[in-house]
């Protein structure tokens, strides 16, 4: 019902006839209870790891009671995700409503190697509590505070840089060198960095060539950050054909891109690597992405009818 329920019905005054049997205040109160129940089940040490990995239904020795708990956990995850996404798009709950007090400071216990590989369901090399916290982050990240998640993200990035770049991370030793022309910035960068064999996490040493085919002065992080900023702008430029603009001047992938270029998937893959590199280097990128595209890119499977407003407001009305 939540998937198809229109905002006008969900948010309207309860004095008006509505398909919802509960008020928004009651929904907020119930969602807080559901949130803590879901966290309690997911962190219960008496339940096997298979349940939190969504594989218990395929376990031939799973008991009926275990299947019921697994089913309850799955439905709670889906329900809370739907409510959270609607609240994120058009708030009806208080700030930090979705953060569970049962998980306070739990992310501080997570070592970075927990996220490096996909640990099999039956793997006992990692403590069960770490696997459960990791799965909560995967399926219901909103139960952790945004601040804690950001700290964890930068911890993972810092650990990755230490592993990939080593002691050279503060210097330009071992950097991947490339020379690009300002007039052909995107095509030159694509030729140099699009291959999956290029580890884009490594330091970059960029030499810029101007319109007179002369190397520009400059060296180090400043040139790299300018290069990435200008490259991302060119990549998302609608004139290139990979992206279109909505009436609100927001960007989304061009549905007709296959007509313009045959290898468009390689270009989208390359642009994804560029955005990953920008995050990796803590580079602020100002991209007005359309709401429906941003929602889908963030991994949500519930891009419902209300996101149509970010594509075509007239059709949505």
């Amino acid at each position: 019902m939540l998937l198809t329920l229109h905002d006008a019905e969900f948010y309207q005054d309860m004095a008006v006839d509505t398909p919802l049997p509960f008020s928004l205040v009651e929904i907020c109160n119930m969602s807080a209870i559901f949130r803590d129940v879901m966290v309690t089940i997911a962190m219960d040490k008496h339940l096997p790891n298979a349940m939190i990995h969504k594989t218990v239904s395929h376990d031939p020795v799973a008991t009926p009671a275990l299947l019921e708990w697994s089913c309850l956990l799955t439905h709670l995850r889906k329900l809370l995700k739907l409510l959270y996404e609607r609240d994120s798009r058009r708030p009806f709950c208080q700030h930090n409503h979705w953060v569970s007090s049962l998980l306070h400071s739990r992310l501080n216990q997570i070592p970075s190697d927990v996220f490096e590989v996909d640990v099999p369901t039956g793997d006992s090399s990692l403590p069960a509590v770490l696997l459960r916290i990791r799965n909560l982050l995967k399926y219901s990240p909103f139960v952790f505070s945004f601040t804690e998640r950001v700290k964890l993200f930068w911890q993972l990035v810092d650990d990755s840089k230490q592993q990939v770049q080593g002691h050279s991370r503060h210097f330009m030793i071992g950097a991947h060198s490339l020379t690009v022309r300002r007039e052909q910035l995107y095509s030159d960068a694509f030729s140099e960095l699009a291959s999956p064999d290029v580890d884009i996490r490594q330091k970059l040493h960029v030499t810029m060539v101007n319109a007179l085919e002369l190397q520009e002065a400059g060296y180090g992080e400043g040139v790299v950050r300018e290069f990435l900023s200008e490259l991302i702008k060119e990549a998302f430029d609608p004139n290139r054909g990979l992206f279109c603009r909505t009436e609100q001047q927001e960007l989304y992938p061009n549905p007709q891109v296959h007509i313009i270029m045959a290898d468009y998937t390689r270009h989208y893959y390359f642009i994804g690597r560029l955005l990953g590199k920008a995050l990796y280097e803590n580079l602020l990128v100002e991209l007005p992405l359309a709401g429906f595209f941003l929602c889908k890119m963030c991994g949500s499977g519930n891009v419902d009818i209300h996101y149509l407003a970010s594509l075509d407001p007239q059709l949505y009305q």
Side-chain angles (χ1 to χ4, degrees):
M1 181 178 179
L2 284 173
L3 282 173
T4 58
L5 192 64
H6 195 276
D7 277 353
E9 299 173 311
F10 187 86
Y11 291 96
Q12 69 181 345
D13 193 314
M14 296 306 296
V16 185
D17 186 28
T18 172
L20 280 178
F22 307 107
S23 67
L24 291 181
V25 174
E26 291 172 329
I27 291 176
C28 286
N29 293 335
M30 288 189 297
S31 65
I33 297 173
F34 294 154
R35 175 203 64 208
D36 289 340
V37 170
M38 186 270 292
V39 169
T40 301
I41 296 174
M43 295 297 295
D44 192 338
K45 63 181 180 180
H46 296 99
L47 299 176
N49 290 337
M51 194 182 71
I52 61 172
H53 283 272
K54 294 187 173 182
T55 57
V56 70
S57 59
H58 306 293
D59 190 342
V61 298
T63 64
L66 185 58
L67 291 173
E68 290 178 0
W69 282 110
S70 177
C71 182
L72 175 60
L73 178 61
T74 300
H75 286 299
L76 283 174
R77 280 171 173 165
K78 291 180 180 179
L79 174 61
L80 289 169
K81 185 178 181 181
L82 288 172
L83 290 172
Y84 171 77
E85 289 177 349
R86 193 180 288 262
D87 181 58
S88 299
R89 183 170 47 80
R90 185 175 169 183
F92 60 90
C93 294
Q94 294 182 353
H95 179 63
N96 281 338
H97 168 81
W98 300 98
V99 178
S100 175
S101 60
L102 302 176
L103 297 168
H104 180 65
S105 300
R106 282 299 188 100
L107 289 188
N108 298 334
Q109 308 170 9
I110 300 280
S112 59
D113 57 355
V114 173
F115 299 93
E116 289 181 0
V117 294
D118 187 16
V119 181
T121 300
D123 193 338
S124 59
S125 61
L126 290 173
V129 65
L130 296 184
L131 294 176
R132 292 165 190 270
I133 293 176
R134 191 186 72 163
N135 276 274
L136 276 173
L137 272 171
K138 179 178 180 180
Y139 298 114
S140 308
F142 48 83
V143 298
F144 300 95
S145 71
F146 180 74
T147 302
E148 285 186 305
R149 283 180 281 155
V150 169
K151 287 181 179 178
L152 176 62
F153 173 76
W154 288 120
Q155 174 194 327
L156 295 175
V157 170
D158 191 64
D159 292 345
S160 174
K161 285 184 177 180
Q162 184 63 39
Q163 179 182 359
V164 175
Q165 300 174 1
H167 296 293
S168 65
R169 57 182 299 189
H170 303 297
F171 308 95
M172 298 305 293
I173 303 174
H176 181 86
S177 299
L178 65 156
T179 301
V180 294
R181 298 164 291 176
R182 279 198 179 272
E183 301 300 316
Q184 300 292 331
L185 188 64
Y186 181 85
S187 58
D188 287 354
F190 183 82
S191 300
E192 291 275 357
L193 301 175
S195 173
D197 296 329
V198 177
D199 190 349
I200 205 168
R201 297 174 299 173
Q202 292 283 0
K203 285 280 188 178
L204 296 179
H205 176 208
V206 181
T207 301
M208 307 284 281
V209 177
N210 61 24
L212 300 177
E213 298 186 356
L214 298 175
Q215 290 188 3
E216 298 182 0
Y219 183 84
E221 291 292 332
V223 177
V224 174
R225 296 177 79 85
E226 179 192 3
F227 161 72
L228 288 174
S229 296
E230 294 300 320
L231 178 57
I232 291 174
K233 286 181 182 178
E234 287 203 22
F236 282 86
D237 186 351
N239 292 324
R240 186 165 297 280
L242 290 165
F243 291 88
C244 298
R245 290 189 185 274
T246 65
E247 292 182 6
Q248 292 80 25
Q249 300 302 301
E250 296 175 334
L251 297 164
Y252 67 97
N254 182 4
Q256 306 299 325
V257 67
H258 60 281
I259 300 176
I260 302 173
M261 56 184 73
D263 61 341
Y264 64 92
T265 54
R266 291 189 63 216
H267 288 270
Y268 284 130
Y269 175 78
F270 172 60
I271 293 172
R273 282 164 61 88
L274 292 180
L275 293 179
K277 180 64 172 176
L279 284 171
Y280 200 72
E281 300 298 338
N282 196 15
L283 177 65
L284 177 64
V285 179
E286 297 183 5
L287 287 175
L289 301 179
F292 71 92
F293 172 51
L294 184 60
C295 180
K296 193 67 176 179
M297 191 170 64
C298 289
S300 174
N302 302 314
V303 185
D304 57 34
I305 189 65
H306 305 99
Y307 285 96
L308 179 60
S310 63
L311 175 64
D312 192 329
Q314 294 183 350
L315 181 60
Y316 175 72
Q317 292 178 354

